[in-house]
Amino acid sequence: MRYDYRTKEIHCTNNGQDIYGLAYIPEGGTDLPLVIFAHQLGATHAAGEGYAEALAALGTAVYIFDFCGGGVDSHSDGEITEMSILTEAEDLEAVLETARTWEFVDERKIVLLGASQGGVASAITAARHREEVAGLILLYPAFMIFDQIHAQFGALENVPEKFRFLDWVDVGRRYAADIWDVAVYDRIRAYDGPVLLIHGGKDTIADLSYSERAAQVYADARLCVIGRAGHIFYGRSFRDSVSLIADHLRDLGLLQKEAEDPQQADDRLRRRKSQPHAGHAPTESQ
């Protein structure tokens, strides 16, 4: 079944700063499950538009937003030189708190969906709000940022007021200072709800090993590898990721299950039980 949906501009606030976002709301729905999408470093809410459109058409509300200082084209307040993973986690906490009050949302059915750096912010937020997060989905989470920052500077005293990270985006000293002493895997393990990790087998930015470690850290995690994909999913890899997300939401009881015969249902359940910590999306090659 496919649902029509509408979009609605909704703003949140964190420490006096405005957070811009768009909600995708299936028509006629009330007490809907909600997926909150957290974008990558230097990106905007637009990075989540494809997921929002696909998931809203399946019957779940989706909220995509701009982190404060999250990118040069951000519609939210803040400067990129004042942004860090921890400020983004605080933004996401503010969004989560506000979203629980929206009339179209069932506050018991909120899932965090984070991509790359947004995945790290989502993981930290989920650990802080275990009872409020029904599920966590991480797309190629950038847990390597912590190692990368240490490798780039060696010591916190060597971090300048502004620097180029990953040879791509200029960030401020706070970006490194806020996470310098953070043991990220120790921090995220506090979330004991269901976790789906989806990672590209050819990711040259966030190595697959970082998600493999996360899958071992979490109490209830499943890692799916899209063999052909790099960092960020396009085309067939994007479609595979949407299918994996939709199946996961159905398993959590947040989406209506598609019609399937008893044998298909039994096969799908057997596959999940046989691979509690690892799985593979359909691939062109492994």
Side-chain angles (χ1 to χ4, degrees):
M1 180 176 180
R2 290 288 186 249
Y3 292 80
D4 293 329
Y5 58 85
R6 60 189 173 90
T7 60
K8 180 179 181 181
E9 183 175 318
I10 303 179
H11 292 247
C12 303
T13 303
N14 179 32
N15 293 323
Q17 290 191 312
D18 180 68
I19 298 173
Y20 169 89
L22 286 175
Y24 288 66
I25 308 167
E27 291 289 358
T30 58
D31 293 329
L32 294 166
L34 174 69
V35 174
I36 301 175
F37 178 85
H39 66 72
Q40 307 92 326
L41 171 64
T44 68
H45 68 283
E49 287 177 347
Y51 289 104
E53 293 168 356
L55 295 176
L58 293 176
T60 182
V62 184
Y63 185 67
I64 58 177
F65 69 98
D66 291 353
F67 283 115
C68 292
V72 294
D73 296 321
S74 176
H75 289 43
S76 296
D77 290 342
E79 300 294 330
I80 196 168
T81 51
E82 293 298 319
M83 173 275 302
S84 74
I85 290 172
L86 297 190
T87 67
E88 291 196 342
E90 290 174 0
D91 287 345
L92 184 52
E93 286 182 275
V95 169
L96 175 62
E97 180 180 358
T98 305
R100 285 166 53 83
T101 70
W102 294 339
E103 61 181 7
F104 58 89
V105 171
D106 185 336
E107 65 176 14
R108 301 166 301 172
K109 299 179 179 179
I110 298 178
V111 173
L112 303 184
L113 167 60
S116 194
Q117 179 168 294
V120 183
S122 296
I124 291 172
T125 300
R128 292 174 176 171
H129 298 271
R130 290 178 294 173
E131 300 303 318
E132 299 159 53
V133 176
L136 177 63
I137 302 171
L138 306 178
L139 308 179
Y140 42 91
F143 292 121
M144 88 298 168
I145 288 174
F146 301 83
D147 289 342
Q148 188 76 28
I149 285 290
H150 283 85
Q152 186 168 345
F153 295 108
L156 182 57
E157 61 210 43
N158 297 331
V159 180
E161 289 304 310
K162 186 176 180 180
F163 64 94
R164 175 145 291 223
F165 186 56
L166 297 177
D167 197 28
W168 175 54
V169 62
D170 292 324
V171 294
R173 189 176 193 277
R174 183 175 187 176
Y175 186 83
D178 274 6
I179 65 169
W180 192 265
D181 295 320
V182 172
V184 67
Y185 290 107
D186 289 342
R187 186 165 296 198
I188 67 173
R189 72 169 67 242
Y191 183 69
D192 55 3
V195 181
L196 173 66
L197 299 111
I198 308 176
H199 212 107
K202 296 182 178 179
D203 194 329
T204 59
I205 296 176
D207 190 80
L208 174 60
S209 61
Y210 286 92
S211 279
E212 290 174 333
R213 183 176 177 186
Q216 296 301 316
V217 162
Y218 283 119
D220 180 10
R222 181 184 178 212
L223 170 61
C224 294
V225 179
I226 300 179
R228 78 184 77 83
H231 195 72
I232 303 181
F233 301 145
Y234 301 101
R236 183 175 171 187
S237 297
F238 168 77
R239 294 190 294 274
D240 284 346
S241 70
V242 170
S243 294
L244 288 165
I245 292 167
D247 283 346
H248 185 66
L249 294 177
R250 292 186 185 102
D251 288 343
L252 297 181
L254 303 182
L255 282 182
Q256 182 178 357
K257 291 186 181 294
E258 295 181 335
E260 57 185 358
D261 63 41
Q263 185 61 51
Q264 287 177 313
D266 185 63
D267 289 346
R268 185 162 62 85
L269 182 60
R270 185 182 299 112
R271 286 197 302 271
R272 176 164 172 76
K273 286 183 175 179
S274 68
Q275 297 182 319
H277 296 296
H280 289 78
T283 59
E284 294 170 343
S285 63
Q286 293 287 349

